[in-house]
C-alpha cells in the first residue's frame, strides 16, 4: 500500500471590514493556491470568526475548482478524450 500526504496551509488576513484567506496546497507535485474574500456589511456587528469562515470556505472552493481543472486537462492529455466540465 502506498501512502501519500498532501497539505493545505491557510493564511488569513483582516483589514478593516475585509477578510482574505489564501489556501495553499502542496504535495503530489502540486503547488496551487486559492483565494477567498469576505466583507462585513457596515451595519453588521464585527464578528471576525464569521468573516474567517466565509473567506476560508471561498478560498478552499477556489482551490478545489483549480485542482479539478488541472485534473480534467491531465485526463484529456493522457486519455485523448474530452471530459465535460459538468462531470466535476
Amino acid at each position: 500500500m502506498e501512502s501519500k500526504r498532501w497539505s493545505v496551509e491557510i493564511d488569513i488576513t483582516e483589514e478593516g471590514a475585509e477578510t482574505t484567506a489564501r489556501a495553499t496546497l502542496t504535495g503530489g507535485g502540486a503547488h496551487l493556491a486559492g483565494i477567498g474574500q469576505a466583507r462585513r456589511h457596515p451595519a453588521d456587528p464585527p464578528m471576525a470568526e464569521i468573516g474567517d469562515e466565509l473567506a476560508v470556505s471561498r478560498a478552499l472552493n477556489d482551490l478545489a475548482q483549480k485542482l479539478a481543472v488541472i485534473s480534467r486537462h491531465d485526463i484529456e492529455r493522457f486519455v485523448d478524450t474530452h471530459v465535460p466540465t459538468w462531470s466535476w
Side-chain angles (χ1 to χ4, degrees):
M1 177 173 100
E2 183 178 351
S3 178
K4 300 177 184 181
R5 178 179 299 264
W6 290 20
S7 300
V8 176
E9 185 172 315
I10 300 173
D11 297 300
I12 303 169
T13 57
E14 295 178 23
E15 188 172 323
E18 285 196 26
T19 302
T20 302
R22 178 181 178 92
T24 305
L25 170 71
T26 54
H31 187 81
L32 296 172
I35 303 293
Q37 296 182 318
R39 176 177 290 170
R40 180 176 50 85
H41 188 279
D44 292 341
M47 298 187 72
E49 62 274 7
I50 294 173
D52 292 353
E53 292 165 352
L54 189 53
V56 168
S57 70
R58 290 174 175 169
L60 290 170
N61 185 51
D62 184 42
L63 178 62
Q65 288 180 16
K66 289 177 179 177
L67 188 58
V69 168
I70 290 170
S71 298
R72 185 181 50 158
H73 288 291
D74 286 347
I75 291 168
E76 289 174 350
R77 188 176 67 215
F78 292 115
V79 180
D80 193 31
T81 186
H82 176 70
V83 178
T85 304
W86 53 263
S87 66
W88 298 101

